Amino acid sequence: MILKTFGWSFVITAVGLALAVLYDGWTAFGIVAILSILEISLSFDNAVVNAGILKKMNAFWQKIFLTIGVLIAVFGMRLVFPVVIVAISAKIGPIEAVNLALNEKEHYKELVTDAHASIAAFGGMFLLMIFLDFIFEDRDIQWLRWIERPLAKLGKVDMLSVAIALGVLLVSSMTFATHAHLHGGAHADKGETVLISGIAGLITYMIVGGLSGYFEDKLEEEEEAELEAEEAAKKSGKGGASAVLLAGKAAFFMFLYLEVLDASFSFDGVIGAFAITNDIVLMALGLGIGAMYVRSLTVYLVRQGTLDDYVYLEHGAHYAIGALAVILLVTIQYEINEVITGLVGVVLIAWSFWSSVRRNKRIAAEGGGDFSEKAEVSTGV
């Protein structure tokens, strides 16, 4: 199972490290290795959340996620995205932006730093909406009951998550954005930029998340109708209807949602990479290797049924998402070390895993049963 799931990750690691040595010697080898570890540590919560979505998709779309999805993640977000951001923020052509990335690395880093406010606002709002929609949903299984139970009741208010997100964005634009940090320790008022970028992140979430949710609901309805048709067919001797086309639409929009989600998670990794190197090639190699492991880990969690056995993992990952959203907004003005960002996610997920283990032991002591089907309410502490 390990080799089957992580095999391509091992291959990409070997190829990436070899290319790093050929590109700039053993120093480049060390930089790429460090960047890979950075990406994995910052994105473990991404893998858990992805697994919760990917388990609803068939084997074909899981393969698409590991192939085309990786190309988008590596070349799109870890290579093309930083160049596009510089081109847009500096109002220069894409060719000139690529030239800066390859030949004027210090100036390129300065431009990316100056564009951080818009990047953080977009990613922060997208991730904040994911967290809010999760925490306001009424669930059979609750981890931190003292938080989740009252919030689930508040979640019955229509558009509450959108109202809160817009409120957070407004406050951020009037506080952090008024002293957004630039290169060289300078500060500037980026309130308008943060508002526009944050609204763009909110709109992106509502469109992509809304479409994926819509087709997922339609798929569930169609699956129920298909089961009823199959039962009727057994009695009448006739065939039932097919839901392949609808399933394809649902899977496509869930795949699109996963890619936008990955993009939002990758912001802190891309920005944090500049603390290690300004070389766009080494950055793409290191973060690309890390992204491959995150995707393999996602598939591993799905195939092992880990989220079904350890039911609080998804809760911990979403709390980590909420923390990351806040951190991104705070970094508009203040610099926060990537180690702190990574540790917050690791601690929350480790805590949720430990709570899941305790829950499973308690259920076993009370008489056993299928952990994934025990829809009990628990404090998790």
Side-chain angles (χ1 to χ4, degrees):
M1 172 63 76
I2 295 293
L3 186 60
K4 181 179 179 180
T5 306
F6 289 89
W8 278 108
S9 295
F10 298 149
V11 172
I12 296 298
T13 300
V15 172
L17 293 175
L19 289 175
V21 174
L22 293 174
Y23 177 73
D24 198 23
W26 291 103
T27 300
F29 177 95
I31 291 174
V32 169
I34 292 172
L35 287 173
S36 302
I37 296 172
L38 171 70
E39 177 69 10
I40 295 171
S41 64
L42 289 174
S43 301
F44 187 81
D45 47 355
N46 187 7
V48 176
V49 175
N50 284 352
I53 301 171
L54 197 65
K55 68 180 182 181
K56 303 173 185 177
M57 301 164 71
N58 60 27
F60 170 77
W61 280 99
Q62 289 181 11
K63 290 179 181 178
I64 292 294
F65 179 72
L66 272 177
T67 52
I68 297 176
V70 167
L71 293 177
I72 295 173
V74 175
F75 294 102
M77 289 310 304
R78 276 75 178 181
L79 183 61
V80 177
F81 171 73
V83 175
V84 171
I85 285 296
V86 168
I88 294 174
S89 61
K91 298 180 180 179
I92 60 178
I95 296 178
E96 186 178 353
V98 172
N99 180 63
L100 285 174
L102 295 175
N103 302 314
E104 299 181 43
K105 297 171 184 176
E106 282 300 323
H107 184 41
Y108 174 75
K109 178 182 178 181
E110 293 174 357
L111 293 175
V112 173
T113 301
D114 291 347
H116 175 69
S118 58
I119 298 171
F122 182 95
M125 291 305 295
F126 188 90
L127 294 177
L128 181 61
M129 282 299 300
I130 293 174
F131 169 71
L132 291 175
D133 278 351
F134 179 86
I135 202 67
F136 284 135
E137 184 178 343
D138 191 9
R139 300 176 180 279
D140 293 329
I141 297 179
Q142 297 175 343
W143 178 30
L144 305 178
R145 184 181 178 186
W146 56 279
I147 295 177
E148 296 174 14
R149 190 174 183 179
L151 289 179
K153 293 181 179 179
L154 287 175
K156 296 178 181 179
V157 178
D158 289 339
M159 305 300 290
L160 180 61
S161 57
V162 175
I164 292 177
L166 286 173
V168 170
L169 177 61
L170 182 61
V171 171
S172 298
S173 68
M174 298 172 63
T175 53
F176 303 128
T178 57
H179 294 84
H181 72 81
L182 306 177
H183 71 275
H187 292 82
D189 188 347
K190 295 269 188 176
E192 182 179 350
T193 300
V194 167
L195 270 177
I196 294 173
S197 300
I199 291 173
L202 179 61
I203 292 173
T204 301
Y205 172 83
M206 294 181 71
I207 292 175
V208 179
L211 286 173
S212 63
Y214 169 76
F215 281 105
E216 184 181 351
D217 291 341
K218 293 292 288 183
L219 176 60
E220 291 177 357
E221 293 176 4
E222 186 70 17
E223 286 176 344
E224 292 178 1
E226 187 176 1
L227 287 175
E228 293 176 0
E230 287 177 356
E231 291 178 359
K234 289 179 181 179
K235 297 178 180 179
S236 62
K238 298 180 180 179
S242 174
V244 174
L245 181 60
L246 185 59
K249 289 179 181 179
F252 170 76
F253 281 105
M254 280 193 283
F255 171 76
L256 183 60
Y257 177 79
L258 280 172
E259 291 307 313
V260 179
L261 178 64
D262 175 76
S264 299
F265 269 104
S266 70
F267 291 149
D268 59 330
V270 172
I271 299 301
F274 282 99
I276 300 172
T277 181
N278 299 335
D279 194 311
I280 191 68
V281 175
L282 297 182
M283 196 180 299
L285 287 173
L287 297 181
I289 291 173
M292 187 68 192
Y293 276 99
V294 171
R295 272 164 161 62
S296 296
L297 180 60
T298 297
V299 174
Y300 180 79
L301 292 173
V302 172
R303 292 175 178 172
Q304 290 292 100
T306 305
L307 297 185
D308 293 330
D309 293 336
Y310 303 97
V311 295
Y312 298 138
L313 271 180
E314 196 169 1
H315 293 71
H318 278 85
Y319 279 108
I321 286 176
L324 178 57
V326 173
I327 288 173
L328 277 173
L329 294 174
V330 172
T331 57
I332 292 174
Q333 180 175 353
Y334 303 102
E335 293 187 44
I336 298 179
N337 193 287
E338 292 74 29
V339 174
I340 296 176
T341 304
L343 281 177
V344 169
V346 170
V347 169
L348 285 169
I349 291 175
W351 182 16
S352 64
F353 177 79
W354 175 71
S355 297
S356 299
V357 171
R358 290 186 60 192
R359 171 185 181 273
N360 293 347
K361 288 181 178 179
R362 185 175 65 254
I363 291 175
E366 292 174 354
D370 187 345
F371 298 147
S372 63
E373 294 181 358
K374 289 281 187 177
E376 66 173 56
V377 177
S378 173
T379 61
V381 294

